[in-house]
Amino acid sequence: MKQTTAQRMAMMDAGLNLIAQALSIYDEDLRLAACNARFQEMFSLPPQLVQEGASFADTIRFIAEQGDYGPIDDLESFVQQRVDQARAFVPHYVERQRANGHVISIEGAPLPDGGWVTVYTDITRTKRVESLLRTRSEELSDQVLSYTEELSATNRKLAATITTLEETKRQLTQTEARTRLTTEMMPAHIAHVNAEGVYTFTNGRLSTVFPGRPSDILGLHSSEALGPAAYAKIKPHLEAAIQGESPVFEFTEDQDSRRLRVAFTPDQQGGAFILSMDVTEETQTRVALQQARKREIAAQMTSGLAHDFSNLLTIILGMQTKLGRMPLPEGAGPLVEATLSAARRGGRLLDRMAEMTSHRGLRPQATDLHALLEEMKILATPSLPQGIGLSVLDNTGEGRFLLDAGRLQDALLNLILNARDACGPTGQITVAAHLVGQTWIEFSVGDTGPGFSPEALKNALNPFFTTKGQEGSGLGLSMVYDMVKSAGGDIRISNTVSGAMVTLRLPYRLAPMASGGLALLVEDSDDLRMTYRQILMDLGYSVIEATSVDEAVALVNDVAGIALILSDIRVEGSATGVDLCQRLGASAPPLILMTSLPPADPLYRAALALAPVLSKPFERPQLLALLQQEGEHA
């Protein structure tokens, strides 16, 4: 039956505790990684000094205070000297007499990845035998033989124990290396804190989850590593974990407004293990899915009602039109016109409702925000009175972003027109755009009008709520809300010292510079295939793979929508990348060959006559440049 890690660790602990010698292992930061029970017994150490993460300096200080090193004039200087010697990680063997009269040998050996393992052996009996041999040599004919035999037996046992310790050391080193490698590869921060909230373990990925924080946090208190704002949000849950609970919670980090999820698991010594993950994209996707579900429910509810109302409005319009052609009493004409106007307004409302609940989702594409905002200003300016100014503050930097440009521009124009109506004949409208870290693209539309009333602040995003009376439908902000939520973003309305402000946040998604789509990668080396797959994915492609020409041709015939083929010239089987080009013909998707053959090789020249060729090794910039070049020639 396969053993679990916990079972293996328990067996290892049991084995270490059976060894007669004391054993300690400290890591490169002079923190205790492992020890056996004999280590605690030999030096009468308190429990906190034999727990994982205990300080080497604290242990030396305790042993020195017990008198093991004899009289010491300056304790702190002595401890620092020992710490400095330990940091040298030099193999050593010493013998010394303890305060209790026992003599011990101390043998230390460095570990491959830093730190060291030390074996402590009580050699009091051996020293006594040596003393007897020196002082009573004339009387020891029989006793010398007896003690010599005893000493030889002891040495044999010691040699066997040392061999066992060396194997244990090797296994511990290997296990620690595997465990650390596994934790460092995970896209999350994994750590352990003791009961005081001090980090005793970390996989070094705090800065990838909490932007701007340090990675080397061993020995730091949680408040120092995380900062006061984040620690204030985490502290109640950490305290609960130290009390034995297992809280899991999410919060928004202040620096880049990223959404983080933190899980605590208590240990058996009053500390806690911590798993922290960045769930910003997951949260954005969840918001978008929730909005899509709401739209689906709204469409189901309104489609039947809209059909019936449409029929009723058609009847009303028809009847009122007929009435308008008849001779009517004085004063009836305006009533007919008012009825017709109300019916037509109802028809426009039905159209807006149908647009909001339609199945047309967002269509994100690579968008130049500078061009979009400039065009928006050109479109909006003619609709503003001469007394109203429009300013656009564009701080979005370089690069293209994945956005539905049409719906975003419609939303901003809608907000500008609302601001115009709020300002009256004079005022100022300001549209600002900037990046919030690499998490959000934030747009704000502010005006110098009277601001939102308390009722509007509460209900402005509700469908059909309007402050414009008969002039408004109440669907403008609702449609903006729908666009933002469908993208996984957020919308806030507020008042400023000068007027009203509407703020939109859309997820930060850099558009890949290549065209993207589905790519077929043909490569028979597992390691190279993994490398090139990642390069293609970084350029925005989804990737399917083949190892031979026959397999590649079958995929091209069976899978629709392949936008790019990247193939090695020499692949599995007798057919080559040149054969692949010839078998696919002129109707094939765009194809790029790659090879480590020299340019003078006949196969290289044959390939170059059929398709672009990349020389191995190459990286993403070289492939991107070739794709852009091919796009310009297409």
Side-chain angles (χ1 to χ4, degrees):
M1 184 176 68
K2 199 170 184 179
Q3 293 179 334
T4 65
T5 301
Q7 289 172 329
R8 289 196 298 272
M9 293 300 294
M11 293 175 65
M12 193 176 298
D13 287 342
L16 291 176
N17 290 332
L18 288 173
I19 297 172
Q21 282 75 24
L23 171 77
S24 68
I25 301 174
Y26 286 85
D27 63 20
E28 60 181 355
D29 297 316
L30 305 186
R31 297 280 177 179
L32 185 66
C35 68
N36 63 357
R38 181 66 179 135
F39 179 61
Q40 182 178 15
E41 295 169 1
M42 178 174 284
F43 299 106
S44 303
L45 297 174
Q48 65 268 24
L49 292 182
V50 292
Q51 290 182 359
E52 182 179 349
S55 166
F56 174 79
D58 292 343
T59 304
I60 291 295
R61 185 178 293 104
F62 176 87
I63 295 174
E65 289 173 345
Q66 307 311 305
D68 253 36
Y69 295 99
I72 298 174
D73 294 330
D74 187 343
L75 178 60
E76 292 306 317
S77 295
F78 176 82
V79 171
Q80 186 60 48
Q81 180 183 5
R82 291 286 172 153
V83 169
D84 292 340
Q85 291 173 352
R87 289 192 184 280
F89 301 123
V90 176
H92 60 274
Y93 176 88
V94 296
E95 296 179 0
R96 66 178 174 84
Q97 185 170 351
R98 303 184 60 210
N100 59 9
H102 286 234
V103 180
I104 60 172
S105 67
I106 305 168
E107 183 176 4
L111 297 174
D113 295 327
W116 76 94
V117 59
T118 308
V119 178
Y120 310 83
T121 306
D122 191 329
I123 58 173
T124 306
R125 187 178 183 84
T126 303
K127 285 294 184 180
R128 187 168 64 245
V129 170
E130 292 176 352
S131 177
L132 285 171
L133 286 172
R134 284 192 300 269
T135 60
R136 299 175 58 195
S137 57
E138 70 280 3
E139 305 172 5
L140 292 180
S141 55
D142 294 332
Q143 293 181 17
V144 166
L145 180 61
S146 173
Y147 278 117
T148 301
E149 291 176 351
E150 181 181 349
L151 181 59
S152 298
T154 300
N155 286 338
R156 288 192 296 272
K157 292 179 181 178
L158 182 58
T161 300
I162 290 173
T163 301
T164 303
L165 287 174
E166 288 177 347
E167 176 60 21
T168 302
K169 167 189 163 184
R170 186 191 66 79
Q171 293 182 5
L172 282 171
T173 303
Q174 187 179 58
T175 300
E176 181 186 7
R178 288 175 178 171
T179 302
R180 181 166 289 279
L181 179 62
T182 300
T183 59
E184 288 176 354
M185 290 177 64
M186 294 188 66
H189 179 230
I190 301 172
H192 177 269
V193 295
N194 59 21
E196 288 74 38
V198 175
Y199 285 101
T200 61
F201 173 81
T202 175
N203 67 342
R205 297 184 66 89
L206 178 67
S207 59
T208 63
V209 178
F210 288 81
R213 273 49 167 206
S215 295
D216 186 9
I217 59 173
L218 276 178
L220 293 182
H221 191 272
S222 306
S223 59
E224 186 179 356
L226 298 174
Y231 179 70
K233 298 176 181 179
I234 288 175
K235 182 180 178 182
H237 305 281
L238 174 58
E239 292 174 346
I242 291 174
Q243 296 301 317
E245 300 179 23
S246 300
V248 179
F249 68 101
E250 292 184 8
F251 72 98
T252 300
E253 198 271 335
D254 291 340
Q255 183 164 321
D256 282 352
S257 296
R258 303 196 71 79
R259 190 71 176 170
L260 307 179
R261 180 182 298 144
V262 181
F264 288 102
T265 302
D267 62 16
Q268 302 301 317
Q269 287 79 40
F273 295 95
I274 308 173
L275 175 66
S276 307
M277 295 178 291
D278 186 336
V279 294
T280 304
E281 293 188 10
E282 175 188 327
T283 303
Q284 292 168 348
T285 302
R286 186 167 63 237
V287 169
L289 289 173
Q290 289 171 345
Q291 185 64 16
R293 180 57 180 158
K294 289 178 182 178
R295 290 179 58 161
E296 183 180 344
I297 294 173
Q300 293 172 352
M301 293 177 62
T302 59
S303 59
L305 291 173
H307 179 267
D308 292 341
F309 274 113
S310 179
N311 289 340
L312 290 173
L313 289 172
T314 301
I315 294 172
I316 293 171
L317 285 169
M319 294 178 65
Q320 291 299 309
T321 301
K322 287 183 179 180
L323 281 173
R325 294 171 184 164
M326 295 179 180
L328 296 173
E330 185 178 352
L335 294 177
V336 170
E337 269 311 310
T339 305
L340 286 170
S341 177
R344 293 186 185 110
R345 185 167 178 267
R348 289 193 297 272
L349 277 175
L350 288 177
D351 291 339
R352 300 285 295 277
M353 289 172 60
E355 184 180 346
M356 285 186 63
T357 58
S358 68
H359 292 287
R360 186 237 191 248
L362 294 179
R363 296 169 184 167
Q365 58 185 1
T367 301
D368 182 345
L369 276 178
H370 303 311
L372 181 144
L373 293 170
E374 184 63 30
E375 182 182 355
M376 177 208 68
K377 185 175 182 179
I378 293 172
L379 292 173
T381 300
S383 64
L384 302 178
Q386 288 187 349
I388 294 181
L390 174 61
S391 300
V392 177
L393 308 178
D394 182 1
N395 295 305
T396 55
E398 299 304 319
R400 293 172 175 261
F401 301 91
L402 286 176
L403 298 165
D404 188 323
R407 293 191 66 180
L408 172 59
Q409 194 173 77
D410 288 346
L412 294 175
L413 288 171
N414 193 318
L415 296 176
I416 290 171
L417 296 179
N418 282 352
R420 175 202 64 186
D421 296 341
C423 286
T426 60
Q428 179 67 33
I429 301 172
T430 302
V431 179
H434 69 277
L435 305 180
V436 182
Q438 293 186 344
T439 310
W440 302 104
I441 308 171
E442 184 171 284
F443 303 89
S444 63
V445 179
D447 61 55
T448 56
F452 290 106
S453 67
E455 183 184 14
L457 284 173
K458 182 179 179 181
N459 299 306
L461 299 177
N462 294 337
F464 307 113
F465 175 84
T466 179
T467 58
K468 300 178 182 179
Q470 296 296 316
E471 300 300 320
S473 67
L475 293 178
L477 272 179
S478 296
M479 295 180 71
V480 175
Y481 174 90
D482 176 67
M483 184 278 295
V484 172
K485 289 296 183 179
S486 295
D490 192 23
I491 180 172
R492 299 193 307 272
I493 62 172
S494 60
N495 285 325
T496 67
V497 293
S498 59
M501 175 80 75
V502 179
T503 304
L504 315 180
R505 277 188 170 182
L506 298 176
Y508 177 101
R509 299 281 189 273
L510 268 180
M513 296 182 69
S515 60
L518 181 63
L520 169 59
L521 173 62
V522 189
E523 171 61 65
D524 57 356
S525 167
D526 293 342
D527 292 338
L528 291 177
R529 196 164 59 246
M530 179 175 64
T531 299
Y532 298 143
R533 180 198 313 130
Q534 188 60 53
I535 289 176
L536 288 167
M537 291 172 64
D538 289 344
L539 291 174
Y541 289 95
S542 301
V543 182
I544 56 176
E545 300 171 1
T547 59
S548 68
V549 169
D550 291 340
E551 188 178 356
V553 171
L555 285 172
V556 172
N557 292 332
D558 294 339
V559 178
I562 295 178
L564 173 69
I565 301 174
L566 178 62
S567 174
D568 198 357
I569 291 180
R570 292 196 180 277
V571 292
E572 186 176 279
S574 59
T576 67
V578 174
D579 299 318
L580 177 63
C581 293
Q582 294 171 341
R583 287 169 62 175
L584 292 178
S587 61
L591 191 150
I592 294 176
L593 295 173
M594 52 185 177
T595 185
S596 55
L597 294 171
D601 190 282
L603 194 56
Y604 187 104
R605 292 201 299 269
L608 197 57
L610 296 171
V613 178
L614 269 175
S615 294
K616 294 181 178 180
F618 63 88
E619 296 181 18
R620 186 175 70 169
Q622 286 82 11
L623 177 57
L624 177 59
L626 186 56
L627 289 171
Q628 291 174 332
Q629 179 182 339
E630 291 301 305
E632 291 170 0
H633 294 165

